[in-house]
Amino acid sequence: MRQDTRLSRLLHVLLHMAQTDAPMTSQHIAEMLGSNAVVVRRIMAGLREGGYVEAERGHGGGWRIIRRTEEITVLDVYRSLGSPDLFAFGFSNPQPSCLVEQSVNATIAESTETATAAILEKFATLRLSQIEAEVQERMSKRTRGRAADLG
């Protein structure tokens, strides 16, 4: 089963965008993600509609983040993707006459609804600035590690 990696990839792109004032072309983003520019434009459109990025047309144009990372949550980015399903579980028959299947469906539905609510609640508390701080911490550790290797 193929996993939906759009959320992690979009967070990745936004954090790179936050590190520069220069716009990033759809083609550049596509190369970074191993995708294509058409897919990038489609995914970025949701962020544009949410007011998180803007697109500049023409030579020297591209995508630019327009909100501070403190103002963007993982939930915002998730919603910009159209709130895709977090779980791939489904029902072979959503309206079964079999009482066993009805019970199985109810149990799975309740469990996935509870888990989804918990994940979305967590997403609402996670800001891009927190991930950005973790990136800086990892970079600092890597730099210290290289310095120790040289010493």
Side-chain angles (χ1 to χ4, degrees), residues 105-123:
N105 287 359
T107 300
I108 291 172
E110 180 184 344
S111 298
T112 57
E113 287 168 12
T114 300
T116 297
I119 291 169
L120 296 180
E121 185 177 314
K122 181 65 175 177
F123 282 0

Side-chain angles (χ1 to χ4, degrees), residues 55-97:
E56 299 173 17
R57 296 184 187 268
H59 182 69
W63 296 96
R64 184 187 313 265
I65 191 168
I66 57 173
R67 300 275 281 289
R68 295 187 348 249
T69 57
E70 299 85 15
E71 299 174 314
I72 304 172
T73 66
V74 173
L75 182 61
D76 296 328
V77 179
Y78 168 78
R79 287 183 174 155
S80 80
L81 291 168
S83 301
D85 287 337
L86 295 172
F87 299 100
F89 300 113
F91 308 120
S92 63
N93 182 356
Q95 300 293 331
S97 58

Side-chain angles (χ1 to χ4, degrees), residues 3-150:
Q3 293 182 327
D4 185 341
T5 60
R6 293 176 300 160
L7 179 60
S8 62
R9 296 176 80 170
L10 202 47
L11 292 168
H12 177 197
V13 167
L14 286 168
L15 289 167
H16 275 292
M17 291 173 78
Q19 294 175 340
T20 182
D21 290 329
M24 295 177 77
T25 66
S26 296
Q27 184 60 42
H28 176 77
I29 294 169
E31 289 170 7
M32 181 172 44
L33 299 178
S35 186
N36 68 63
V38 173
V39 171
V40 168
R41 284 190 286 275
R42 189 178 325 127
I43 291 172
M44 296 297 285
L47 287 171
R48 183 184 56 225
E49 290 167 11
Y52 305 107
V53 300
E54 66 182 5
E56 299 173 17
R57 296 184 187 268
H59 182 69
W63 296 96
R64 184 187 313 265
I65 191 168
I66 57 173
R67 300 275 281 289
R68 295 187 348 249
T69 57
E70 299 85 15
E71 299 174 314
I72 304 172
T73 66
V74 173
L75 182 61
D76 296 328
V77 179
Y78 168 78
R79 287 183 174 155
S80 80
L81 291 168
S83 301
D85 287 337
L86 295 172
F87 299 100
F89 300 113
F91 308 120
S92 63
N93 182 356
Q95 300 293 331
S97 58
C98 174
L99 297 178
V100 171
E101 192 167 11
Q102 288 175 13
S103 295
V104 168
N105 287 359
T107 300
I108 291 172
E110 180 184 344
S111 298
T112 57
E113 287 168 12
T114 300
T116 297
I119 291 169
L120 296 180
E121 185 177 314
K122 181 65 175 177
F123 282 0
T125 68
L126 296 172
R127 302 197 172 281
L128 263 62
S129 58
Q130 292 170 276
I131 302 170
E132 194 173 36
E134 184 176 332
V135 170
Q136 293 302 319
E137 183 179 321
R138 288 174 184 264
M139 290 174 79
S140 178
K141 285 181 182 177
R142 178 182 285 176
T143 302
R144 286 192 305 263
R146 286 186 184 151
D149 289 344
L150 295 174

